Amino acid sequence: MLKHNMDQVEEEICKACERSGRSRDLVTLIAVSKTKPVEVLQEAYNLGVRVFGENKVQELSEKSEALPDDIHWHMIGHLQTNKVKYIIDKVDLIHSVDSFRLAETIEREAAKRNLTANILIEVNVAGEESKFGIKPEETLDFVYKLSELPHICVKGLMTIAPFVENQEENRPIFARLRKLSVDIERKNIHNTTMGILSMGMTNDYQTAIEEGATMIRVGTGIFGARDVYPGQTNVR
Ligand SMILES: *Cc1c(COP(=O)(O)O)cnc(C)c1O
């Protein structure tokens, strides 16, 4: 089943790249493995997956301990400041920086370990109340503030679009994030590049690719419906 799903996602990625005249190798597929047990990740690894996304600190830590060293781990979920220290040296990229307080904590923990943390800024393009993220109009100022932190390297922007039946509805959101990244790139800000646009999930990654996504985060499209943690009913 995993192989079948992965082949299908790969085919859709290629088609979306073709439609938009983009090269397939400009798009990184992040396999979002949250709630899935280590054995399932190992199976995906055996099929060639090397980039996994997780949204919980403890889960990411445990899985990265248990699985091979050549995996690239991405923290895609909301990150609490008191947990930064557990993952700072385990992840390639933190997708979800949405406050200066969090950035300062990442700076401090990265400095302690003499490393540079690669991060994306989460932007709440859709303006949904329930979502984390910086407002689009505040993003540039936020980038300027982050550029003062020497152990943080801003690599681009991330957004979570609303759940919609028809992914066309999210096209303006992806286009807006892309425009924002182009506008910020033009300012040539110290410590900052806008090479990464992390947008698109199972329900809308094709449209996201057409609008310039360089990273897509696909969970259920690869692994099927999420597992439920013991004692939990809400799997989001
Ligand atoms: C869970 C999650 C995804 C993957 O969602 P699917 O709809 O299952 O593809 C992508 N990004 C973030 C931030 C997530 O939390």
Side-chain angles (χ1 to χ4, degrees):
M1 189 195 57
L2 204 49
K3 170 95 170 71
H4 172 81
N5 289 350
M6 281 172 47
D7 287 349
Q8 200 153 356
V9 170
E10 182 56 35
E11 196 184 320
E12 290 295 329
I13 294 172
C14 288
K15 284 199 272 184
C17 285
E18 247 166 60
R19 282 197 298 276
S20 48
R22 302 182 64 209
S23 163
R24 167 66 186 89
D25 56 16
L26 296 177
V27 181
T28 301
L29 170 62
I30 301 171
V32 176
S33 46
K34 62 194 187 195
T35 79
K36 296 293 164 185
V38 165
E39 303 77 62
V40 172
L41 278 74
Q42 180 70 52
E43 199 187 326
Y45 178 91
N46 296 346
L47 292 167
V49 177
R50 292 294 179 274
V51 189
F52 289 90
E54 289 283 340
N55 71 338
K56 290 200 160 63
V57 166
Q58 192 180 345
E59 197 176 340
L60 190 154
S61 299
E62 287 170 7
K63 287 173 175 175
S64 70
E65 283 285 302
L67 287 157
D69 285 338
D70 61 342
I71 291 177
H72 301 280
W73 295 97
H74 289 224
M75 177 63 193
I76 61 170
H78 184 65
L79 182 56
Q80 288 170 293
T81 53
N82 61 348
K83 294 192 173 161
V84 170
K85 57 179 178 283
Y86 301 117
I87 53 145
I88 186 81
D89 55 359
K90 297 192 174 73
V91 297
D92 277 44
L93 187 63
I94 299 171
H95 288 234
S96 43
V97 174
D98 61 356
S99 75
F100 194 64
R101 202 167 79 89
L102 173 60
E104 283 179 312
T105 308
I106 294 170
E107 165 64 27
R108 202 165 51 240
E109 295 297 332
K112 269 191 212 164
R113 293 163 181 81
N114 203 18
L115 55 82
T116 304
N118 294 322
I119 65 137
L120 304 179
I121 295 167
E122 180 171 352
V123 184
N124 186 355
V125 182
E128 288 181 287
E129 289 283 336
S130 59
K131 295 266 165 71
F132 294 105
I134 302 286
K135 290 188 180 134
E137 61 273 22
E138 291 169 1
T139 306
L140 179 62
D141 280 347
F142 189 60
V143 173
Y144 276 117
K145 278 176 87 178
L146 298 199
S147 71
E148 309 277 312
L149 305 176
H151 298 87
I152 283 186
C153 209
V154 178
K155 296 285 190 184
L157 306 178
M158 177 272 223
T159 200
I160 303 175
F163 182 85
V164 288
E165 289 298 329
N166 176 359
Q167 58 180 293
E168 276 304 318
E169 291 173 45
N170 281 337
R171 189 179 293 279
I173 289 172
F174 299 138
R176 185 153 183 221
L177 191 71
R178 165 157 173 133
K179 177 166 189 309
L180 190 56
S181 88
V182 170
D183 290 346
I184 294 171
E185 184 91 284
R186 283 213 188 98
K187 307 279 182 189
N188 283 319
I189 302 168
H190 177 71
N191 261 343
T192 304
T193 55
M194 285 285 129
I196 298 177
L197 266 185
S198 170
M199 56 189 197
M201 302 167 41
T202 296
N203 282 297
D204 55 17
Y205 67 86
Q206 293 98 329
T207 304
I209 290 171
E210 290 170 15
E211 293 300 325
T214 68
M215 284 186 180
I216 57 172
R217 311 177 307 266
V218 179
T220 48
I222 293 175
F223 296 105
R226 226 95 64 202
D227 293 0
V228 181
Y229 297 112
Q232 191 193 10
T233 50
N234 177 357
V235 293
R236 192 79 177 141

